[in-house]
PDB file of all heavy atoms in Angstrom:
ATOM      1  N   PRO H 130     -63.577  27.865  21.292  1.00 91.00           N
ATOM      2  CA  PRO H 130     -63.625  26.816  22.380  1.00 91.00           C
ATOM      3  C   PRO H 130     -63.419  25.433  21.680  1.00 91.00           C
ATOM      4  O   PRO H 130     -63.559  25.152  20.581  1.00 91.00           O
ATOM      5  CB  PRO H 130     -65.005  27.036  22.743  1.00 91.00           C
ATOM      6  CG  PRO H 130     -65.893  27.621  21.677  1.00 91.00           C
ATOM      7  CD  PRO H 130     -64.901  28.467  20.962  1.00 91.00           C
ATOM      8  N   SER H 131     -63.097  24.584  22.529  1.00 92.00           N
ATOM      9  CA  SER H 131     -62.905  23.114  22.104  1.00 92.00           C
ATOM     10  C   SER H 131     -64.360  22.456  21.830  1.00 92.00           C
ATOM     11  O   SER H 131     -65.305  22.969  22.320  1.00 92.00           O
ATOM     12  CB  SER H 131     -62.155  22.236  23.073  1.00 92.00           C
ATOM     13  OG  SER H 131     -62.708  22.220  24.399  1.00 92.00           O
ATOM     14  N   ILE H 132     -64.259  21.387  21.082  1.00 92.00           N
ATOM     15  CA  ILE H 132     -65.562  20.628  20.862  1.00 92.00           C
ATOM     16  C   ILE H 132     -66.116  19.949  22.151  1.00 92.00           C
ATOM     17  O   ILE H 132     -65.325  19.564  22.931  1.00 92.00           O
ATOM     18  CB  ILE H 132     -65.268  19.512  19.828  1.00 92.00           C
ATOM     19  CG1 ILE H 132     -64.875  20.166  18.470  1.00 92.00           C
ATOM     20  CG2 ILE H 132     -66.457  18.606  19.722  1.00 92.00           C
ATOM     21  CD1 ILE H 132     -64.605  19.189  17.391  1.00 92.00           C
ATOM     22  N   SER H 133     -67.331  20.019  22.284  1.00 92.00           N
ATOM     23  CA  SER H 133     -68.010  19.228  23.438  1.00 92.00           C
ATOM     24  C   SER H 133     -67.599  17.823  23.480  1.00 92.00           C
ATOM     25  O   SER H 133     -67.444  17.195  22.466  1.00 92.00           O
ATOM     26  CB  SER H 133     -69.514  19.350  23.369  1.00 92.00           C
ATOM     27  OG  SER H 133     -70.062  18.533  24.291  1.00 92.00           O
ATOM     28  N   PRO H 134     -67.209  17.357  24.620  1.00 92.00           N
ATOM     29  CA  PRO H 134     -66.806  16.016  24.861  1.00 92.00           C
ATOM     30  C   PRO H 134     -67.849  14.949  24.168  1.00 92.00           C
ATOM     31  O   PRO H 134     -67.397  13.927  23.722  1.00 92.00           O
ATOM     32  CB  PRO H 134     -66.630  15.653  26.296  1.00 92.00           C
ATOM     33  CG  PRO H 134     -66.532  16.996  26.909  1.00 92.00           C
ATOM     34  CD  PRO H 134     -67.195  18.058  26.031  1.00 92.00           C
ATOM     35  N   LEU H 135     -69.117  15.336  24.281  1.00 92.00           N
ATOM     36  CA  LEU H 135     -70.190  14.409  23.736  1.00 92.00           C
ATOM     37  C   LEU H 135     -70.264  14.412  22.284  1.00 92.00           C
ATOM     38  O   LEU H 135     -70.910  13.532  21.639  1.00 92.00           O
ATOM     39  CB  LEU H 135     -71.438  14.687  24.488  1.00 92.00           C
ATOM     40  CG  LEU H 135     -71.525  14.517  25.980  1.00 92.00           C
ATOM     41  CD1 LEU H 135     -72.903  14.660  26.395  1.00 92.00           C
ATOM     42  CD2 LEU H 135     -71.017  13.066  26.392  1.00 92.00           C
ATOM     43  N   ARG H 136     -69.702  15.410  21.580  1.00 93.00           N
ATOM     44  CA  ARG H 136     -69.658  15.536  20.096  1.00 93.00           C
ATOM     45  C   ARG H 136     -68.399  14.923  19.488  1.00 93.00           C
ATOM     46  O   ARG H 136     -68.375  14.826  18.277  1.00 93.00           O
ATOM     47  CB  ARG H 136     -69.969  16.868  19.729  1.00 93.00           C
ATOM     48  CG  ARG H 136     -71.162  17.511  20.160  1.00 93.00           C
ATOM     49  CD  ARG H 136     -71.437  18.891  19.555  1.00 93.00           C
ATOM     50  NE  ARG H 136     -71.436  18.899  18.040  1.00 93.00           N
ATOM     51  CZ  ARG H 136     -70.652  19.562  17.284  1.00 93.00           C
ATOM     52  NH1 ARG H 136     -69.693  20.297  17.864  1.00 93.00           N
ATOM     53  NH2 ARG H 136     -70.700  19.482  15.892  1.00 93.00           N
ATOM     54  N   ARG H 137     -67.429  14.456  20.312  1.00 93.00           N
ATOM     55  CA  ARG H 137     -66.209  13.943  19.722  1.00 93.00           C
ATOM     56  C   ARG H 137     -66.469  12.463  19.204  1.00 93.00           C
ATOM     57  O   ARG H 137     -67.113  11.915  19.994  1.00 93.00           O
ATOM     58  CB  ARG H 137     -65.080  13.875  20.850  1.00 93.00           C
ATOM     59  CG  ARG H 137     -64.694  15.335  21.272  1.00 93.00           C
ATOM     60  CD  ARG H 137     -63.477  15.194  22.162  1.00 93.00           C
ATOM     61  NE  ARG H 137     -62.964  16.560  22.571  1.00 93.00           N
ATOM     62  CZ  ARG H 137     -62.022  17.247  21.836  1.00 93.00           C
ATOM     63  NH1 ARG H 137     -61.522  16.691  20.709  1.00 93.00           N
ATOM     64  NH2 ARG H 137     -61.559  18.411  22.368  1.00 93.00           N
ATOM     65  N   GLY H 138     -65.868  12.167  18.319  1.00 91.00           N
ATOM     66  CA  GLY H 138     -65.827  10.780  17.828  1.00 91.00           C
ATOM     67  C   GLY H 138     -65.001   9.834  18.559  1.00 91.00           C
ATOM     68  O   GLY H 138     -64.020  10.426  19.214  1.00 91.00           O
ATOM     69  N   ARG H 139     -65.208   8.609  18.527  1.00 93.00           N
ATOM     70  CA  ARG H 139     -64.311   7.618  19.187  1.00 93.00           C
ATOM     71  C   ARG H 139     -63.066   7.396  18.403  1.00 93.00           C
ATOM     72  O   ARG H 139     -63.025   7.308  17.230  1.00 93.00           O
ATOM     73  CB  ARG H 139     -65.091   6.373  19.489  1.00 93.00           C
ATOM     74  CG  ARG H 139     -66.193   6.538  20.370  1.00 93.00           C
ATOM     75  CD  ARG H 139     -65.787   6.604  21.894  1.00 93.00           C
ATOM     76  NE  ARG H 139     -64.954   5.447  22.183  1.00 93.00           N
ATOM     77  CZ  ARG H 139     -65.400   4.283  22.760  1.00 93.00           C
ATOM     78  NH1 ARG H 139     -66.767   4.151  22.888  1.00 93.00           N
ATOM     79  NH2 ARG H 139     -64.537   3.305  23.152  1.00 93.00           N
ATOM     80  N   ILE H 140     -61.906   7.219  19.093  1.00 95.00           N
ATOM     81  CA  ILE H 140     -60.789   6.804  18.417  1.00 95.00           C
ATOM     82  C   ILE H 140     -60.638   5.265  18.165  1.00 95.00           C
ATOM     83  O   ILE H 140     -60.496   4.551  19.294  1.00 95.00           O
ATOM     84  CB  ILE H 140     -59.521   7.330  19.130  1.00 95.00           C
ATOM     85  CG1 ILE H 140     -59.634   8.833  19.237  1.00 95.00           C
ATOM     86  CG2 ILE H 140     -58.204   6.973  18.446  1.00 95.00           C
ATOM     87  CD1 ILE H 140     -58.502   9.469  20.032  1.00 95.00           C
ATOM     88  N   ARG H 141     -60.851   4.762  17.036  1.00 93.00           N
ATOM     89  CA  ARG H 141     -60.991   3.361  16.809  1.00 93.00           C
ATOM     90  C   ARG H 141     -59.984   2.864  15.886  1.00 93.00           C
ATOM     91  O   ARG H 141     -59.500   1.593  15.816  1.00 93.00           O
ATOM     92  CB  ARG H 141     -62.285   3.028  16.309  1.00 93.00           C
ATOM     93  CG  ARG H 141     -63.490   3.364  17.244  1.00 93.00           C
ATOM     94  CD  ARG H 141     -64.695   3.017  16.773  1.00 93.00           C
ATOM     95  NE  ARG H 141     -65.915   3.472  17.520  1.00 93.00           N
ATOM     96  CZ  ARG H 141     -66.434   2.748  18.658  1.00 93.00           C
ATOM     97  NH1 ARG H 141     -65.758   1.644  18.993  1.00 93.00           N
ATOM     98  NH2 ARG H 141     -67.322   3.162  19.311  1.00 93.00           N
ATOM     99  N   ALA H 142     -59.311   3.683  14.986  1.00 95.00           N
ATOM    100  CA  ALA H 142     -58.391   3.383  13.880  1.00 95.00           C
ATOM    101  C   ALA H 142     -57.100   3.729  14.113  1.00 95.00           C
ATOM    102  O   ALA H 142     -56.973   4.905  14.625  1.00 95.00           O
ATOM    103  CB  ALA H 142     -59.054   3.796  12.540  1.00 95.00           C
ATOM    104  N   PRO H 143     -56.008   3.067  13.767  1.00 96.00           N
ATOM    105  CA  PRO H 143     -54.698   3.472  13.946  1.00 96.00           C
ATOM    106  C   PRO H 143     -54.298   4.533  12.917  1.00 96.00           C
ATOM    107  O   PRO H 143     -54.914   4.615  11.782  1.00 96.00           O
ATOM    108  CB  PRO H 143     -53.823   2.218  13.692  1.00 96.00           C
ATOM    109  CG  PRO H 143     -54.706   1.333  12.916  1.00 96.00           C
ATOM    110  CD  PRO H 143     -56.162   1.622  13.226  1.00 96.00           C
ATOM    111  N   TYR H 144     -53.418   5.410  13.272  1.00 97.00           N
ATOM    112  CA  TYR H 144     -52.784   6.361  12.424  1.00 97.00           C
ATOM    113  C   TYR H 144     -51.451   6.101  12.114  1.00 97.00           C
ATOM    114  O   TYR H 144     -50.554   5.853  12.923  1.00 97.00           O
ATOM    115  CB  TYR H 144     -52.795   7.847  13.108  1.00 97.00           C
ATOM    116  CG  TYR H 144     -52.041   8.885  12.392  1.00 97.00           C
ATOM    117  CD1 TYR H 144     -52.676   9.530  11.183  1.00 97.00           C
ATOM    118  CD2 TYR H 144     -50.888   9.268  12.674  1.00 97.00           C
ATOM    119  CE1 TYR H 144     -51.969  10.469  10.625  1.00 97.00           C
ATOM    120  CE2 TYR H 144     -50.053  10.185  11.984  1.00 97.00           C
ATOM    121  CZ  TYR H 144     -50.660  10.847  10.974  1.00 97.00           C
ATOM    122  OH  TYR H 144     -50.074  11.759  10.227  1.00 97.00           O
ATOM    123  N   ALA H 145     -51.128   5.906  10.816  1.00 96.00           N
ATOM    124  CA  ALA H 145     -49.868   5.610  10.262  1.00 96.00           C
ATOM    125  C   ALA H 145     -48.873   6.743  10.229  1.00 96.00           C
ATOM    126  O   ALA H 145     -49.288   7.721   9.584  1.00 96.00           O
ATOM    127  CB  ALA H 145     -49.971   4.824   8.930  1.00 96.00           C
ATOM    128  N   THR H 146     -47.807   6.648  10.851  1.00 96.00           N
ATOM    129  CA  THR H 146     -46.854   7.757  10.791  1.00 96.00           C
ATOM    130  C   THR H 146     -45.699   7.504   9.801  1.00 96.00           C
ATOM    131  O   THR H 146     -44.934   8.525   9.490  1.00 96.00           O
ATOM    132  CB  THR H 146     -46.158   7.924  12.122  1.00 96.00           C
ATOM    133  OG1 THR H 146     -45.412   6.737  12.498  1.00 96.00           O
ATOM    134  CG2 THR H 146     -47.206   7.993  13.358  1.00 96.00           C
ATOM    135  N   GLY H 147     -45.500   6.225   9.328  1.00 95.00           N
ATOM    136  CA  GLY H 147     -44.327   5.948   8.530  1.00 95.00           C
ATOM    137  C   GLY H 147     -43.087   5.724   9.200  1.00 95.00           C
ATOM    138  O   GLY H 147     -41.988   5.400   8.650  1.00 95.00           O
ATOM    139  N   VAL H 148     -43.100   5.772  10.585  1.00 97.00           N
ATOM    140  CA  VAL H 148     -41.975   5.429  11.454  1.00 97.00           C
ATOM    141  C   VAL H 148     -42.267   4.218  12.105  1.00 97.00           C
ATOM    142  O   VAL H 148     -43.062   3.957  12.790  1.00 97.00           O
ATOM    143  CB  VAL H 148     -41.680   6.604  12.557  1.00 97.00           C
ATOM    144  CG1 VAL H 148     -40.601   6.272  13.407  1.00 97.00           C
ATOM    145  CG2 VAL H 148     -41.740   7.844  11.883  1.00 97.00           C
ATOM    146  N   ARG H 149     -41.419   3.177  11.751  1.00 97.00           N
ATOM    147  CA  ARG H 149     -41.523   1.750  12.106  1.00 97.00           C
ATOM    148  C   ARG H 149     -41.621   1.540  13.723  1.00 97.00           C
ATOM    149  O   ARG H 149     -42.631   0.872  14.168  1.00 97.00           O
ATOM    150  CB  ARG H 149     -40.500   0.914  11.668  1.00 97.00           C
ATOM    151  CG  ARG H 149     -40.607  -0.530  11.882  1.00 97.00           C
ATOM    152  CD  ARG H 149     -39.501  -1.407  11.057  1.00 97.00           C
ATOM    153  NE  ARG H 149     -38.201  -0.713  11.125  1.00 97.00           N
ATOM    154  CZ  ARG H 149     -37.444  -0.525   9.998  1.00 97.00           C
ATOM    155  NH1 ARG H 149     -37.883  -0.865   8.938  1.00 97.00           N
ATOM    156  NH2 ARG H 149     -36.265   0.034  10.065  1.00 97.00           N
ATOM    157  N   ALA H 150     -40.805   2.143  14.565  1.00 97.00           N
ATOM    158  CA  ALA H 150     -40.858   2.071  15.883  1.00 97.00           C
ATOM    159  C   ALA H 150     -42.199   2.548  16.514  1.00 97.00           C
ATOM    160  O   ALA H 150     -42.712   1.905  17.462  1.00 97.00           O
ATOM    161  CB  ALA H 150     -39.650   2.580  16.565  1.00 97.00           C
ATOM    162  N   ILE H 151     -42.801   3.579  15.971  1.00 98.00           N
ATOM    163  CA  ILE H 151     -43.923   4.119  16.546  1.00 98.00           C
ATOM    164  C   ILE H 151     -45.133   3.425  16.092  1.00 98.00           C
ATOM    165  O   ILE H 151     -45.888   2.973  16.992  1.00 98.00           O
ATOM    166  CB  ILE H 151     -44.086   5.603  16.038  1.00 98.00           C
ATOM    167  CG1 ILE H 151     -42.887   6.585  16.733  1.00 98.00           C
ATOM    168  CG2 ILE H 151     -45.398   6.261  16.511  1.00 98.00           C
ATOM    169  CD1 ILE H 151     -43.010   7.908  16.214  1.00 98.00           C
ATOM    170  N   ASP H 152     -45.223   2.921  14.775  1.00 97.00           N
ATOM    171  CA  ASP H 152     -46.459   2.266  14.420  1.00 97.00           C
ATOM    172  C   ASP H 152     -46.524   0.933  15.039  1.00 97.00           C
ATOM    173  O   ASP H 152     -47.527   0.453  15.155  1.00 97.00           O
ATOM    174  CB  ASP H 152     -46.219   2.171  12.747  1.00 97.00           C
ATOM    175  CG  ASP H 152     -46.655   3.472  12.226  1.00 97.00           C
ATOM    176  OD1 ASP H 152     -47.123   4.412  12.819  1.00 97.00           O
ATOM    177  OD2 ASP H 152     -46.266   3.673  10.927  1.00 97.00           O
ATOM    178  N   ALA H 153     -45.301   0.335  15.220  1.00 97.00           N
ATOM    179  CA  ALA H 153     -45.407  -1.062  15.611  1.00 97.00           C
ATOM    180  C   ALA H 153     -45.403  -1.176  17.245  1.00 97.00           C
ATOM    181  O   ALA H 153     -46.264  -1.968  17.735  1.00 97.00           O
ATOM    182  CB  ALA H 153     -44.088  -1.885  15.250  1.00 97.00           C
ATOM    183  N   LEU H 154     -44.771  -0.370  17.950  1.00 97.00           N
ATOM    184  CA  LEU H 154     -44.672  -0.517  19.385  1.00 97.00           C
ATOM    185  C   LEU H 154     -45.408   0.556  20.092  1.00 97.00           C
ATOM    186  O   LEU H 154     -45.764   0.498  21.316  1.00 97.00           O
ATOM    187  CB  LEU H 154     -43.168  -0.548  19.748  1.00 97.00           C
ATOM    188  CG  LEU H 154     -42.319  -1.657  19.276  1.00 97.00           C
ATOM    189  CD1 LEU H 154     -40.842  -1.430  19.586  1.00 97.00           C
ATOM    190  CD2 LEU H 154     -42.823  -2.984  19.692  1.00 97.00           C
TER     191      LEU H 154
END
Side-chain angles (χ1 to χ4, degrees):
S131 59
I132 294 178
S133 166
L135 298 182
R136 294 186 62 236
R137 291 185 182 273
R139 292 286 301 273
I140 300 177
R141 302 182 186 277
Y144 169 79
T146 66
V148 180
R149 181 169 45 227
I151 296 176
D152 288 345
L154 298 173

